[in-house]
Amino acid sequence: MKSNGRTDYPVKTLPCLLVALTLMTAGCASSDVAEQETTSQRPLNDPIYTVGCSTTVQPEHRVELDLIDSLMSDREYYAALAQLESLSFDTQHHWLRWAQLLAQVEQVEDSADAFRAIAATCDSYESYHGLGVVYVKQGKITDAIDMLARAKNMSPAVPEIRNDYGYALMVGGQYGRAAFELRTAYELSKGKAAVRQNMVAAYYLNGGEAALNDLKKDLRLKEADLSAGKQVAKNILGGRP
């Protein structure tokens, strides 16, 4: 998906030393008491999760999350997941990053399970956004549109949501609606490049060269912007001209 969120998930059977789903920070829990103390803060083993919905970030949480975000920015997703799974999941932010990282390491089904659990418990726009993105990865476009529409309605001024929603609409053949959403995302994001390409693609699919000419005049886009957007459109159409 063309998304700028981290636009930018649970591994079910790996050993405790690798995944640490029900571990204490220092290692595997060695007693029932230890396990009971940690399961409310850590991902549980397949398929049930005790999700925490707190959005209160303490200073120690900020240090933890900044490290994970830095690794994700460097595209070191496996390292980020390993670091995250060594922590207590004290906030919803930890859970959301976990679900997102599972998708980044190709655990897409587990990612969807995690996002669904977070959405069912927390009813947050972030969880619906993440689930919608995963559904696009899975080719479940109708479900993706539904989830992303819910996220947009809950938080309409987040450019990453409008971008991903517009992209899903475009993949689903709803080019006019996609153009509206992506123009909104473009303005909210101050013209971010990936959003710009998606917007151009939607206008091209909806109105052809005439729409692109109008868009070029209106926003003073460069030919390189138009070419990149047209390529996105062709990719969505499966490479057909």
Side-chain angles (χ1 to χ4, degrees), residues 134-145:
V134 172
Y135 279 153
V136 171
K137 288 178 178 289
Q138 294 178 313
K140 300 177 180 178
I141 302 305
T142 299
D143 291 335
I145 290 171

Side-chain angles (χ1 to χ4, degrees), residues 30-133:
S30 58
S31 69
D32 291 340
V33 172
E35 184 175 53
Q36 289 170 5
E37 290 175 349
T38 59
T39 52
S40 65
Q41 297 178 315
R42 303 297 307 280
L44 298 183
N45 205 359
D46 175 48
I48 299 171
Y49 315 104
T50 304
V51 176
C53 296
S54 172
T55 58
T56 301
V57 178
Q58 302 294 341
E60 62 271 22
H61 299 147
R62 176 47 54 204
V63 172
E64 295 171 354
L65 295 170
D66 284 349
L67 171 60
I68 302 305
D69 290 346
S70 177
L71 291 168
M72 293 174 73
S73 295
D74 291 337
R75 304 179 67 85
E76 296 179 12
Y77 302 123
Y78 291 85
L81 183 61
Q83 290 286 351
L84 183 59
E85 288 177 337
S86 72
L87 305 173
S88 294
F89 281 40
D90 294 328
T91 73
Q92 186 180 169
H93 304 291
H94 290 79
W95 285 92
L96 290 165
R97 282 166 176 77
W98 181 61
Q100 182 181 357
L101 280 165
L102 287 170
Q104 294 288 2
V105 299
E106 305 304 324
Q107 303 293 327
V108 179
E109 290 290 341
D110 290 332
S111 173
D113 288 344
F115 273 124
R116 277 192 290 266
I118 299 167
T121 305
C122 304
D123 190 35
S124 63
Y125 76 84
E126 297 97 334
S127 60
Y128 295 122
H129 181 201
L131 184 56
V133 170

Side-chain angles (χ1 to χ4, degrees), residues 183-236:
R183 179 66 177 268
T184 304
Y186 173 82
E187 294 186 3
L188 287 171
S189 70
K190 306 300 182 183
K192 201 167 185 178
V195 181
R196 182 169 64 245
Q197 293 175 15
N198 286 342
M199 177 189 66
V200 169
Y203 271 76
Y204 179 67
L205 290 170
N206 192 51
E209 293 290 347
L212 290 193
N213 288 334
D214 291 341
L215 192 64
K216 180 181 178 181
K217 294 176 184 177
D218 189 18
L219 299 179
R220 300 179 181 178
L221 299 180
K222 299 177 181 179
E223 286 297 330
D225 297 324
L226 302 183
S227 296
K230 288 169 72 172
Q231 186 58 54
V232 171
K234 290 176 180 180
N235 291 342
I236 287 174

